[in-house]
Amino acid sequence: MKPAPFDYVVPETAEEAVSCLQKYEDDGIEATVLAGGQSFVPLLNMRMARPDVVVDLRKLKTLKYIREEDGVIAIGAMTTKREVEESELIQQRQPLFHASTLEIGHLQIRSRGTVGGSMAQADPAAEYPAVALALGMEMKILGTDGERIVPADEFFITYLTTEIDSTELLTEVRVPVLAEGTGWSFQELARRHGDFAIVGGAVTLRLDGGVCTDPHIVLFGVGATPVRMTAAESAISGQAPSAELFAQAGEQGAAELESPMADVHASAEYRRHLAKVIIKRCLLEATERAGGSVS
Amino acid sequence: MTAKIPQKLEDLPSSEPRWVGKDVKRIEDPKLVTGLADFIENLQMPGMLHCAILRSPHPHALIKSVDASEALKHPGVSAVLTGEDVLKWTNPAMTVPDGWGVYCLATDKARFVGEPVAAVAAISRSVAEDALELIEVEYEPLPAVADAKKALEEGAPLIFEDKGSNVIHKRLFTWGEVDQAFADADHVISDSFRWNRLGANPTETFGVVSQWDLLENSVTCRGAFQSSSHFALGRAATFGLPSNRVRIISHPHGGSFGGKGGARGTDIAALLSRKADGRPVKWIEDRMEYLIAGGGQSWDRFYEASLAVNADGTMTGFKVKLLDDIGATGEGFGAISAAKPLAVFTGNYTIGAAQYDMTLVATNRLPQSPYRGMGPPPHYFVLESLVDSAARQLGMDVSEIRRKNYIQPDQFPYIIPSGNEYDSGNYEACLDKVLDMADYQALREEQAKAQEAGRLVGISVVNAIEPGVFDWNAYSAVGMPGVGVPEGVTISVDVMGSITVRVGFSLEGQGQYTLAAQLLADYFGVEMDQIRVVHADTASAPPHFGPGGSRLGVALTGAILGAAKKLEDKFLAVAAGLMQTEAANMEMVDGWLRIKGVPDAEMPMAAVAGTMLARSDLLPPGMEPCPEATSVWTAPGRAEPDEEGRCKSYLTAANACHVIMVEVDRDTGMVEILKYFVVDDCGTRLNPGNVEGMLHGAIAQGIGAALLEEYVYDENAQPLVSTFMDYLMPTINDVPDTQSAAMVTPSPFSPLGAKGCGENAIHLTPAGIICAINDALAPLGVAAKEIPASPNRLWELIQSADYPQDK
Amino acid sequence: MSTKKRISLSVNGKLLEGEAEPRTSLADFLRDDLALIGTHIGCEHGVCGACTIMMDGQAVRSCLTLAVQAEGTELMTVEGLLDENHQLHPIQEAFIEEHGLQCGFCTPGFLMSTFELLEKNPSPSDDDIKEALGGNLCRCTGYQSIIKSVRLAAQKLQSANTAS
């Protein structure tokens, strides 16, 4: 279980990394970017990933930061999950993002796994892509032609595939702070603590005049990308929160899923059922956090 | 002649035992906590090559050709092994039952996914894996047999064509008037059960360094071997070598639990060494190899079973029909797991008649291997589930139906219908103790309240016998020959009086080296750290088997005490000569040889040993200058089985009772273990902390079995589990805080009254968790009959219930 | 392709240099090139935790780190727990006293995870212990003795600190 051979370069700057990638692309050499490696190195070990060259970003210390700018928390792509977990700024200003971080693998994985790495890996069962979608994050991507910003809902294309081109680099993840009064929930149903979720949910909502407004309901672990549950969202918009309403939203959400994944842990039908359960549970918790009560 | 050895702690030649029976620190541990133990992966040898194995991606396929020419040209590659080589140099593996073995590389066809097809030896593992990619194999896929039921279908593809059938073994045992018992019973409780494959998964996989001596034509294998002498015989048969031309040197293991495997890897590495001019070849199994094709898959069973019960709860008959998928070959000795339940067939109960109808079949799944418990865990899952069903039908409490049927203390030794003899026990006292510890009535009240609130909370009370100290006769039901399992040690005292004991097994985790040191330190009145315990390989060890079948603690105690007694007798003779008296007037206490009743007429054991080695002029006539003794122990009173397979097989019968409370999440089918209580009676506890550790470890494995672990195959016999993302073992978050207590009913038959003690919890925990789940589900009118009770399965059950869903 | 790279790093307080192919894992590099065999390899895909070491003050999986990524880092392995007189660390003593190991193969990983926990949280609750050790698999002990070992280690370290 040893990787196939590959070459290895360590650019000093993000710009150098991008020009490396461009050069490899031009020369027809398959290059893969390495951040923390916690998802990628297993694939190397199993020879499921076989790049010609690995471009290691470890020297890009300038991409390690967490700072708030105008209501947005900007997080450098090379920031580790441990740094997010230990950030008071994130704990206070974006508790949903913080809570989701604690569910990622185990501590030893979070020591090295990076925020940018998770987003770029786009594992459909992973936490961060779902949270990105629920919170409307933005991805800052650097190419040889300069930077561009891609919203989360355009970023995740399919299983392990994002909007990042093979010559580009994700440099920053931009997370809106959680607005005052927003209720949120992040929950997973997994076989064991620390496992990838069979189904997970990330939810935000607000209560205005006793009714649910601006709900964001995202599920993960169910399809090729995290999924925004728009029918479930419409079902509760403008409605007074109740257990019955949320159960209905769950039903609608579950019905909305096209073809949930099936694997050794869960059949498609069981996943569809858990989707229902998690939507309801997340909505109940988010309502409570928004200061509401459920009849 | 066997030496007369102490049967009780008080019989030790010690005024007050300081080590045996005490919770002592293990002598194994300093090297383990520093990472300095010599696990096989640490071993480097001059000129050593590294092996990687090419494996079949097909569950069943003819091998049309293997072209390794490119691999052989790859820089860094020294040798490539293919089917042609093994046909030339080896024999198919020995199996039980006989005749279901294949060569270490597939030659004519591949019979399971992961079966070795070719192998490379190169300068590094990475390069060896690179070279595997250059080997071209042409396969012609055949239809596969995916599971045991399909193996029996008319026209099913045959795994071994020459056998004409996929049935490896079929036998019907009838013990007592079982049909009459069922005809006379007030109730017959019948059900079907399914136990899916799971297995050992020690944290260290198997590893080996094999070397072929081309001049001597002999093989030396160093590795994580559980039973090295046995393994040596297997290699000799495979290689067609005299048995003394195979030397097995066992290294410490990072766990085994019976499922270390490794025969094929050892053979492949040895043959690569033969091709590579005798350079040593190392093969370290990686985790994916272990999960797909290693020694870690056990018990793949379909059951149909019935219990005959009278209206008062008396159980009178038990019938079991077993269909077990042994996998593609018999090489892993998986069949013996189907035979072991004979030793405890009717559990703790006085059930008078029983029947066992066993069918073992071959499929295109991985060959089964042993796993801790070796077969009874699924059997108890069936028996204890039926006992609970009977209680439910009769309106009895699950603890009371058990109490009613217990073998009573005055009935021991007790022979069960399937022939084994239980040595001793007090099952009712054990039950009462655990019910008291759990505050059972309060638990039931708590459950009632939870149920009123709509929660699915359940409680189980289960018990089992752990058969301890196996004998080969236990497995005669599947064709294993032989009676007696020798375990020997050699104790040497040097001229300075230092004591060294040589044993034939290596560290595996059960603390047996510590046990040897405890026993000898008390026997000779020295500190434990003055005893050195060393591993002797098969070229120098006395006859031995090593760990397995819950035996080594007892067997080692017998061997150590036997050798110590022989040594004591020699010392007494020498000291008597020195003190000018008769040996009969002498005694040894706390390591001092003294004349009985004469104060100060004494000398230390070290002085006697020194005299033996350095002053031959002072020895009694005929006494050899040899302060050394070997003793080989085997359980007394064993014999060949009768025509219905009945025999005294396991020497000791430990007992335990577990009380478990669980909650099933109605929405998700996920199970939480709320409370866990255990009382365990394994006789004298020689190192109580160690025994307790084994108990908790086995509970964790039982939890894994009940809820998490499963090797899933698809309908074409493709394994779907190849990583630890899919094979789920309990983590620190999955094991509840367990309250446990000991009872001690010493065995009247074993040295110091100790019983086999490492397995009882894995016998019981799966049954106990399922019974608790079924108690929780009882209000819905459904019950789990398949292991593991995964959330997906329990959710389906809850769905199937005729009950309002969204309560 | 795949030429060896020079790697310099600090391990257990010593500056060391070696060479490795880019594909070599840090676990293999430590074991095969630096002869630090106490770091064990159990799964090579980041689940079992046997290969856990400390890197720049945090517990990490050395099987999921390439050796070349460790250039310039400060590592600590189980070998670093012994003091200069080869005396056991209080965490090691605690694991022995509470039977926190049986076969001992997973133990170096548990010790490293425990080391980080107790560095940052000298008196952890049982939940803290479970969180910190949730990524280390043990197949022998059933974990209860490990929890006890960590509790005892915390006590030992605290009384050592009070004493000094």
Side-chain angles (χ1 to χ4, degrees):
Chain A
M1 206 168 154
K2 308 293 179 192
F6 53 83
D7 216 339
Y8 175 79
V9 293
V10 194
E12 301 282 339
T13 65
E15 289 71 22
E16 189 190 330
V18 168
S19 56
C20 270
L21 292 172
Q22 184 67 57
K23 183 174 162 298
Y24 291 129
E25 172 84 4
D26 296 344
D27 296 349
I29 291 169
E30 193 193 327
T32 304
V33 168
L34 172 65
Q38 302 302 285
S39 304
F40 179 57
V41 175
L43 298 178
L44 282 178
N45 289 350
M46 295 170 192
R47 298 193 176 210
M48 290 164 71
R50 311 180 55 117
D52 298 318
V53 57
V54 165
V55 179
D56 185 357
L57 307 185
R58 69 182 162 82
K59 287 194 180 169
L60 307 191
K61 306 289 183 206
T62 54
L63 297 187
K64 255 173 161 339
Y65 55 83
I66 300 172
R67 56 181 175 243
E68 187 174 342
E69 307 165 339
D70 307 326
V72 169
I73 304 168
I75 303 175
M78 286 299 286
T79 306
T80 66
K81 287 152 188 161
R82 282 290 285 278
E83 287 160 341
V84 171
E85 178 175 344
E86 288 164 10
S87 159
E88 278 189 31
L89 172 68
I90 289 179
Q91 193 164 4
Q92 283 165 13
R93 303 285 282 161
Q94 188 37 271
L96 167 53
F97 188 53
H98 188 263
S100 73
T101 305
L102 299 178
E103 297 294 326
I104 299 173
H106 298 284
L107 194 75
Q108 297 83 352
I109 297 289
R110 302 197 293 271
S111 298
R112 293 200 42 83
T114 63
V115 173
S118 268
M119 296 296 183
Q121 184 73 18
D123 191 303
E127 289 80 358
Y128 275 177
V131 176
L133 208 55
L135 294 178
M137 293 188 197
E138 292 176 330
M139 311 295 163
K140 192 186 272 188
I141 298 171
L142 181 70
T144 43
D145 300 334
E147 281 178 355
R148 63 190 179 114
I149 302 246
V150 179
D153 57 5
E154 294 170 19
F155 182 78
F156 301 104
I157 294 172
T158 183
Y159 181 76
L160 304 185
T161 309
T162 70
E163 183 58 25
I164 309 170
D165 189 77
S166 58
T167 61
E168 292 179 318
L169 199 64
L170 176 65
T171 56
E172 183 179 288
V173 172
R174 299 176 60 78
V175 190
V177 300
L178 196 76
E180 197 73 21
T182 302
W184 61 274
S185 174
F186 184 87
Q187 294 191 36
E188 295 190 343
L189 291 168
R191 296 289 300 272
R192 299 173 305 180
H193 176 64
D195 286 343
F196 274 122
I198 301 173
V199 177
V203 164
T204 62
L205 58 77
R206 301 178 61 80
L207 293 175
D208 288 319
V211 298
C212 303
T213 60
D214 197 21
H216 289 235
I217 304 174
V218 174
L219 294 190
F220 59 101
V222 289
T225 63
V227 201
R228 183 114 184 236
M229 302 276 91
T230 49
E233 289 174 1
S234 344
I236 66 164
S237 283
Q239 306 289 320
S242 72
E244 200 182 332
L245 176 72
F246 292 162
Q248 273 171 23
E251 297 282 354
Q252 258 156 325
E256 204 174 340
L257 292 172
E258 277 174 18
S259 48
M261 296 193 298
D263 60 21
V264 296
H265 304 303
S267 66
E269 276 324 289
Y270 180 53
R271 271 206 165 76
R272 192 186 293 282
H273 168 79
L274 290 185
K276 196 160 67 178
V277 173
I278 206 115
I279 289 170
K280 181 178 168 186
R281 289 183 179 182
C282 284
L283 286 171
L284 287 169
E285 188 179 48
T287 302
E288 215 166 275
R289 286 211 173 96
S293 60
V294 177
S295 54
Chain B
M1 285 299 289
T2 52
K4 182 164 168 37
I5 59 175
Q7 288 297 308
K8 292 184 266 193
L9 283 178
E10 306 85 270
D11 300 341
L12 287 170
S14 165
S15 46
E16 172 77 60
R18 295 164 64 204
W19 313 107
V20 179
K22 305 289 192 302
D23 184 9
V24 301
K25 288 196 219 174
R26 303 194 320 166
I27 62 172
E28 293 91 337
D29 287 354
K31 282 211 164 174
L32 294 169
V33 298
T34 49
L36 292 170
D38 53 342
F39 291 113
I40 188 62
E41 195 173 355
N42 301 345
L43 182 65
Q44 304 285 352
M45 291 175 71
M48 189 173 79
L49 298 167
H50 298 262
C51 163
I53 298 172
L54 185 70
R55 295 172 181 281
S56 170
H58 301 286
H60 202 186
L62 295 175
I63 296 170
K64 309 298 282 187
S65 67
V66 179
D67 179 359
S69 52
E70 289 304 310
L72 204 49
K73 287 183 214 152
H74 190 68
V77 170
S78 290
V80 179
L81 190 75
T82 67
E84 276 178 41
D85 302 311
V86 304
L87 282 172
K88 192 166 59 189
W89 286 335
T90 69
N91 302 309
M94 291 196 307
T95 62
V96 171
D98 197 25
W100 291 84
V102 295
Y103 294 94
C104 64
L105 294 179
T107 52
D108 50 347
K109 67 173 185 174
R111 291 175 170 83
F112 60 93
V113 171
E115 181 166 13
V117 175
V120 171
I123 49 162
S124 71
R125 174 66 177 245
S126 298
V127 170
E129 290 190 21
D130 295 343
L132 290 188
E133 299 182 344
L134 304 173
I135 299 174
E136 302 269 350
V137 182
E138 193 190 334
Y139 295 98
E140 183 184 315
L142 299 169
V145 180
D147 68 42
K149 288 190 170 170
K150 295 209 173 92
L152 294 177
E153 283 170 6
E154 190 83 13
L158 295 176
I159 313 302
F160 284 76
E161 286 79 3
D162 56 327
K163 300 281 185 190
S165 152
N166 291 320
V167 176
I168 291 178
H169 191 66
K170 188 164 174 56
R171 196 161 169 189
L172 173 70
F173 295 100
T174 302
W175 303 301
E177 299 301 321
V178 69
D179 288 332
Q180 195 62 47
F182 274 80
D184 293 346
D186 296 327
H187 302 273
V188 172
I189 316 288
S190 300
D191 226 326
S192 304
F193 301 90
R194 171 81 171 119
W195 181 293
N196 289 288
R197 271 179 186 235
L198 46 69
N201 257 301
T203 46
E204 178 204 46
T205 55
F206 179 78
V208 65
V209 179
S210 295
Q211 186 165 22
W212 202 289
D213 183 326
L214 297 168
L215 282 178
E216 199 185 58
N217 202 26
S218 69
V219 179
T220 300
C221 307
R222 297 167 163 84
F225 304 107
Q226 183 169 337
S227 303
S228 46
S229 57
H230 216 64
F231 209 83
L233 290 177
R235 309 288 61 72
T238 298
F239 297 138
L241 290 175
S243 47
N244 64 356
R245 285 288 183 271
V246 176
R247 184 177 174 200
I248 298 287
I249 302 173
S250 187
H251 279 244
H253 320 346
S256 174
F257 316 108
K260 203 81 169 174
R264 288 210 196 207
T266 302
D267 297 348
I268 289 168
L271 296 168
L272 280 167
S273 172
R274 182 172 183 168
K275 285 194 98 170
D277 302 325
R279 291 170 70 174
V281 175
K282 185 185 219 176
W283 177 63
I284 302 294
E285 181 181 51
D286 70 36
R287 185 58 64 177
M288 290 178 79
E289 291 181 292
Y290 183 83
L291 287 166
I292 294 172
Q297 298 192 12
S298 307
W299 317 330
D300 190 344
R301 299 184 175 177
F302 295 90
Y303 280 102
E304 288 167 35
S306 306
L307 193 61
V309 193
N310 286 335
D312 67 351
T314 307
M315 302 188 283
T316 55
F318 181 39
K319 286 185 183 177
V320 178
K321 189 173 180 193
L322 166 70
L323 175 60
D324 198 356
D325 177 351
I326 297 300
T329 80
E331 70 194 70
F333 297 93
I336 59 181
S337 282
K340 183 170 171 183
L342 265 70
V344 288
F345 201 82
T346 39
N348 297 53
Y349 312 118
T350 54
I351 298 170
Q355 189 174 77
Y356 194 24
D357 178 357
M358 52 154 80
T359 306
L360 314 182
V361 298
T363 67
N364 291 113
R365 295 185 175 201
L366 177 67
Q368 274 195 38
S369 293
Y371 177 35
R372 192 180 201 166
M374 281 256 302
H379 184 81
Y380 280 121
F381 158 56
V382 171
L383 174 58
E384 292 295 286
S385 293
L386 286 179
V387 172
D388 270 19
S389 297
R392 209 165 283 127
Q393 189 156 331
L394 297 173
M396 286 178 83
D397 185 87
V398 291
S399 67
E400 290 313 309
I401 192 167
R402 287 175 170 80
R403 185 191 301 278
K404 180 148 191 81
N405 288 280
Y406 280 152
I407 300 163
Q408 294 301 312
D410 60 2
Q411 291 178 282
F412 293 103
Y414 184 90
I415 294 180
I416 59 172
S418 49
N420 192 27
E421 178 184 61
Y422 293 173
D423 60 340
S424 65
N426 189 339
Y427 305 156
E428 194 161 4
C430 186
L431 173 73
D432 284 332
K433 187 163 178 164
V434 73
L435 292 179
D436 190 48
M437 184 165 76
D439 197 352
Y440 183 61
Q441 280 316 314
L443 276 192
R444 285 291 178 198
E445 284 159 24
E446 195 180 327
Q447 177 193 26
K449 274 189 200 150
Q451 284 177 336
E452 273 172 38
R455 293 164 57 198
L456 300 176
V457 171
I459 299 168
S460 64
V461 179
V462 291
N463 43 233
I465 302 303
E466 170 181 4
V469 194
F470 88 95
D471 197 279
W472 290 119
N473 66 3
Y475 314 136
S476 66
V478 291
M480 181 67 86
V483 178
V485 188
E487 190 66 42
V489 302
T490 299
I491 302 171
S492 310
V493 185
D494 69 15
V495 73
M496 307 304 290
S498 295
I499 302 171
T500 300
V501 55
R502 279 179 282 147
V503 300
F505 57 89
S506 187
L507 301 184
E508 204 177 78
Q510 301 98 325
Q512 313 288 12
Y513 282 27
T514 301
L515 175 59
Q518 284 173 279
L519 290 162
L520 285 171
D522 270 336
Y523 205 101
F524 291 111
V526 297
E527 301 297 313
M528 264 178 67
D529 62 8
Q530 289 174 259
I531 311 290
R532 193 161 170 83
V533 187
V534 297
H535 166 64
D537 65 52
T538 53
S540 57
H544 61 277
F545 179 80
S550 262
R551 71 179 286 274
L552 190 55
V554 172
L556 178 66
T557 300
I560 292 272
L561 294 179
K565 174 68 179 151
K566 287 184 185 175
L567 211 45
E568 178 190 349
D569 288 346
K570 284 193 190 186
F571 290 154
L572 287 171
V574 173
L578 293 172
M579 294 185 178
Q580 300 181 338
T581 182
E582 297 295 316
N585 298 329
M586 302 283 299
E587 62 180 1
M588 187 180 82
V589 178
D590 297 333
W592 288 81
L593 288 302
R594 60 193 192 199
I595 302 174
K596 289 179 200 165
V598 181
D600 300 332
E602 59 183 16
M603 60 192 303
M605 179 270 291
V608 180
T611 301
M612 288 181 81
L613 288 164
R615 290 297 304 270
S616 61
D617 54 324
L618 301 181
L619 294 185
M623 171 68 69
E624 288 179 23
C626 181
E628 177 173 300
T630 294
S631 177
V632 182
W633 186 90
T634 190
R638 309 298 101 179
E640 283 201 301
D642 70 11
E643 70 287 353
E644 283 300 321
R646 286 175 293 219
C647 59
K648 294 180 185 178
S649 53
Y650 280 72
L651 180 70
T652 66
N655 169 53
C657 192
H658 294 202
V659 174
I660 308 168
M661 186 180 206
V662 305
E663 176 160 12
V664 181
D665 183 329
R666 183 190 296 266
D667 290 336
T668 64
M670 290 178 178
V671 174
E672 187 183 358
I673 301 169
L674 303 176
K675 290 183 178 162
Y676 206 117
F677 305 92
V678 180
V679 174
D680 186 271
D681 182 355
C682 54
T684 308
R685 293 183 168 207
L686 300 170
N687 185 353
N690 207 33
V691 172
E692 202 61 12
M694 304 272 280
L695 169 71
H696 289 287
I699 289 174
Q701 289 181 332
I703 290 169
L707 300 174
L708 293 167
E709 301 177 27
E710 180 177 0
Y711 288 103
V712 184
Y713 286 79
D714 75 6
E715 64 283 3
N716 298 312
Q718 273 286 345
L720 302 181
V721 169
S722 61
T723 72
F724 275 166
M725 311 294 278
D726 290 328
Y727 194 81
L728 307 179
M729 295 195 288
T731 73
I732 202 166
N733 293 297
D734 300 301
V735 181
D737 190 16
T738 302
Q739 286 187 48
S740 58
M743 255 182 63
V744 176
T745 308
S747 171
F749 301 151
S750 75
L752 304 186
K755 300 183 180 182
C757 67
E759 295 181 337
N760 213 349
I762 198 170
H763 290 140
L764 259 185
T765 303
I769 290 177
I770 298 297
C771 287
I773 286 170
N774 287 340
D775 190 45
L777 296 178
L780 306 187
V782 293
K785 291 159 200 168
E786 183 165 5
I787 266 190
S790 66
N792 200 147
R793 290 198 177 108
L794 291 185
W795 170 73
E796 283 173 10
L797 267 182
I798 294 169
Q799 288 298 107
S800 72
D802 182 17
Y803 191 83
Q805 288 298 318
D806 290 310
K807 191 181 168 193
Chain C
M1 286 289 271
S2 193
T3 47
K4 285 192 170 182
K5 307 280 177 188
R6 284 203 76 71
I7 299 163
S8 20
L9 73 178
S10 155
V11 188
N12 302 327
K14 287 186 197 140
L15 288 174
L16 298 174
E17 282 209 11
E19 281 194 341
E21 279 189 88
R23 62 169 156 174
T24 304
S25 74
L26 180 55
D28 282 339
F29 180 67
L30 287 168
R31 293 177 49 80
D32 299 342
D33 296 85
L34 303 182
L36 294 165
I37 54 168
T39 299
H40 294 154
I41 296 175
C43 75
E44 295 182 280
H45 55 281
V47 184
C48 80
C51 68
T52 304
I53 61 166
M54 294 287 290
M55 178 184 240
D56 294 332
Q58 291 180 336
V60 305
R61 305 274 203 238
S62 62
C63 78
L64 293 193
T65 306
L66 300 174
V68 285
Q69 289 179 285
E71 166 70 26
T73 57
E74 283 187 18
L75 307 185
M76 180 184 160
T77 64
V78 68
E79 287 87 351
L81 283 175
L82 289 181
D83 71 12
E84 60 275 19
N85 300 316
H86 298 95
Q87 295 301 300
L88 297 181
H89 190 279
I91 296 175
Q92 293 170 312
E93 287 176 355
F95 270 70
I96 292 177
E97 285 172 35
E98 290 288 2
H99 296 285
L101 65 150
Q102 287 177 26
C103 81
F105 192 80
C106 68
T107 309
F110 272 94
L111 296 174
M112 290 289 100
S113 293
T114 302
F115 181 82
E116 196 205 344
L117 170 69
L118 297 182
E119 283 254 297
K120 301 197 170 146
N121 182 357
S123 47
S125 66
D126 284 2
D127 282 345
D128 295 336
I129 296 171
K130 288 181 179 179
E131 179 60 32
L133 303 184
N136 290 80
L137 287 175
C138 169
R139 192 57 159 165
C140 296
T141 63
Y143 303 104
Q144 293 209 40
S145 61
I146 291 178
I147 294 173
K148 285 185 194 160
S149 302
V150 179
R151 285 188 206 134
L152 179 63
Q155 278 172 24
K156 281 177 183 277
L157 287 166
Q158 281 192 321
S159 41
N161 285 340
T162 322
S164 60

